Amino acid sequence: MMNEPFSYPNNFLRFLGTGGARFAMLRQMRKTGGIWFTYGGLNGVVDPGPGSLYHMCSATPPLDPHELRAIMLTHRHLDHSTDINVTAEAMTGGGFEKQGMVVLPEDSAVGSGPVLLKYMAQKVGAVVIAEDGRRIDLGMGVTAEPVIHIHHGVDCFGYIFRKNGLRTWGMISDTRPLKHLAERYSECSLITLNVTFPNKKPRLDHMSAEDAGELLQKLHPEVALITHMGVIMIEAGPEKFAKIMSTPQTRAIAARDDMTIDLDTLKAYSKVDIECRESSFLPIDG
Ligand SMILES: [Zn+2]
């Protein structure tokens, strides 16, 4: 344990929530604000679900939503998207500074019920529609490659983030297990994975811990972080699933709310709002 106040690494992820799916969200069993990233000088958030803006503003050390330059959506479901407009308003300084990019699937942006409100789309610097495999230049030399997912009839993508000289990190969102994931994410040293429940449910377009374990056997990232957990995962204790998913090459970690990952060292930190505590790697208990 260190006594100096915690400060964020140069490149990091912070979980503004690790809960997912309808009932874990509605009960706020865990926070549901998505993932903040600071990567190669670029600040962004992926999937600003319920509470996202609040969890940025109340984070210790603080995360300033005005400093955001990328807001990324994997899909339009409420547990991923409710705070997209307020975070966009914060990114644009209340709508007075036309800056930053919103990246989202087509059906989140257009049609009769876009989740990004039309007036807000005009206030941000740019709105970019994700297309499978087409790399998006987010600025500061950072690119995001959308990876097509299949998820209950909505347009849904994961993303792979790259910048020269930095580790490649990928996020796999809500999807049924798909063959191409093992190829597309193969260069990622760190992957965040939405794992909604423990056992396979082929009828549902979500990954179970079993599915995620099989995928990690093929992908071998150095670190895999499990997030977007549903009620059954949370109640069962996700750490035990992470332990099972770990391999000699991959350290799987059940993410916790507010956990911060150093994207250079791949160390995980928890409870930074009380005092800096570098968590032991696996499992992270206490
Ligand atoms: Zn969903």
Side-chain angles (χ1 to χ4, degrees):
M1 196 184 295
M2 288 177 272
N3 293 320
E4 285 171 24
F6 182 82
S7 57
Y8 290 120
N10 289 332
N11 300 291
F12 68 95
L13 306 181
R14 177 163 169 142
F15 287 89
L16 303 172
T18 55
R22 207 167 307 170
F23 296 103
M25 173 201 48
L26 293 174
R27 291 161 61 185
Q28 286 291 294
M29 293 174 72
R30 292 211 181 180
K31 297 175 183 176
T32 51
I35 301 173
W36 174 287
F37 63 89
T38 293
Y39 180 70
L42 180 84
N43 298 315
V45 62
V46 188
D47 284 351
S52 190
L53 182 66
Y54 175 75
H55 299 313
M56 290 173 200
C57 294
S58 61
T60 307
L63 297 168
D64 182 355
H66 190 194
E67 298 294 319
L68 286 169
R69 292 297 177 268
I71 298 174
M72 323 273 302
L73 212 63
T74 66
H75 67 292
R76 57 178 290 130
H77 286 158
L78 292 173
D79 49 332
H80 299 255
S81 70
T82 56
D83 274 16
I84 187 169
N85 292 290
V86 288
T87 49
E89 180 126 303
M91 177 169 77
T92 58
F96 294 108
E97 298 159 63
K98 196 171 171 65
Q99 63 185 8
M101 188 179 282
V102 177
V103 176
L104 72 184
E106 189 171 16
D107 69 354
S108 298
V110 299
S112 55
V115 294
L116 181 66
L117 296 173
K118 285 180 183 165
Y119 85 93
M120 188 54 67
Q122 291 166 0
K123 289 185 175 183
V124 300
V127 176
V128 175
I129 304 297
E131 289 175 47
D132 186 34
R134 211 193 78 190
R135 288 193 195 188
I136 299 160
D137 182 358
L138 297 176
M140 311 286 290
V142 178
T143 63
E145 176 189 333
V147 180
I148 190 106
H149 287 7
I150 295 180
H151 182 53
H152 293 305
V154 298
D155 296 341
C156 184
F157 295 92
Y159 294 101
I160 299 170
F161 296 86
R162 296 180 175 90
K163 178 168 176 168
N164 279 344
L166 296 185
R167 289 177 186 275
T168 300
W169 69 277
M171 71 153 309
I172 297 176
S173 183
D174 295 0
T175 185
R176 65 168 42 250
L178 298 168
K179 277 206 178 103
H180 67 255
L181 299 178
E183 293 139 36
R184 297 284 293 277
Y185 287 89
S186 58
E187 84 183 75
C188 300
S189 7
L190 175 129
I191 292 180
T192 66
L193 268 164
N194 287 10
V195 176
T196 309
F197 35 68
N199 304 117
K200 284 177 184 284
K201 292 186 185 177
R203 283 183 308 108
L204 299 180
D205 290 344
H206 279 285
M207 287 238 255
S208 64
E210 284 180 336
D211 298 310
E214 290 172 9
L215 178 59
L216 291 179
Q217 295 280 352
K218 297 175 190 151
L219 273 176
H220 305 304
E222 284 181 53
V223 170
L225 289 149
I226 310 308
T227 185
H228 192 274
M229 291 170 273
V231 174
I232 295 170
M233 278 294 281
I234 295 167
E235 288 182 342
E239 283 77 11
K240 74 179 180 203
F241 300 108
K243 198 168 191 173
I244 294 166
M245 279 180 226
S246 290
T247 70
Q249 295 102 325
T250 299
R251 192 170 75 239
I253 299 171
R256 294 183 175 186
D257 291 352
D258 306 316
M259 184 180 274
T260 298
I261 312 301
D262 185 326
L263 286 173
D264 296 314
T265 63
L266 300 183
K267 285 182 178 174
Y269 298 85
S270 60
K271 297 188 173 153
V272 295
D273 51 347
I274 299 167
E275 55 191 323
C276 175
R277 187 181 304 183
E278 185 186 330
S279 50
S280 54
F281 282 151
L282 177 78
I284 292 171
D285 289 314

